[in-house]
Amino acid sequence: MTAKAGAGSQTQRVAVLADAETATGYRLAGAEVVEATPENAVRELERVIVEGRYGLVAVDTGLIPDPATATARVMRGRDLPILLPIPSLKDAFSTETVDAKAYMGKLVRETIGFDIKL
């Protein structure tokens, strides 16, 4: 995926940092994916930041709950990439989540400020 940053600026790429299982879905949607495990996720995200190829990196919170804090040292002095934490699908369907529909509704409410009922 690419996005135009503004008039006269270069195109910025978008990537998703996700586990192997979730990565398949993002690839099917056309997103560039960086696969990681919980053990190497911070290292992979730091590598992506240093490479400087992406303007936005969506980070699965199942891998890194707080990507800004985890990469503060590497991000110091950099404007890009923007790190966007995205809820992990595993959280929605974990044994601790009693109602996946309620969990997803809560995420929508927290993100946009109100409920959407279909």
Side-chain angles (χ1 to χ4, degrees):
M1 297 176 133
T2 58
K4 223 26 174 167
S9 63
Q10 68 184 33
T11 300
Q12 292 294 325
R13 296 167 65 180
V14 176
V16 179
L17 181 78
D19 60 67
E21 184 179 3
T22 308
T24 301
Y26 286 111
R27 281 192 185 100
L28 288 171
E32 285 189 55
V33 177
V34 176
E35 282 189 34
T37 64
E39 296 76 28
N40 74 355
V42 172
R43 187 171 53 250
E44 283 298 306
L45 182 55
E46 288 176 343
R47 180 186 59 77
V48 167
I49 291 167
V50 170
E51 284 178 356
R53 295 175 34 210
Y54 298 101
L56 174 72
V57 180
V59 181
D60 186 316
T61 58
L63 292 173
I64 306 173
D66 185 357
T69 300
T71 60
R73 180 186 55 79
V74 175
M75 283 296 295
R76 190 169 294 124
R78 297 177 193 267
D79 293 328
L80 295 175
I82 295 169
L83 302 177
L84 176 67
I86 53 174
S88 173
L89 288 178
K90 289 183 180 180
D91 290 344
F93 300 104
S94 74
T95 55
E96 288 107 36
T97 304
V98 177
D99 182 357
K101 186 175 178 182
Y103 174 82
M104 297 308 268
K106 177 179 169 258
L107 289 177
V108 170
R109 242 185 340 276
E110 290 173 354
T111 303
I112 64 173
F114 56 89
D115 286 323
I116 297 177
K117 303 228 187 239
L118 298 175

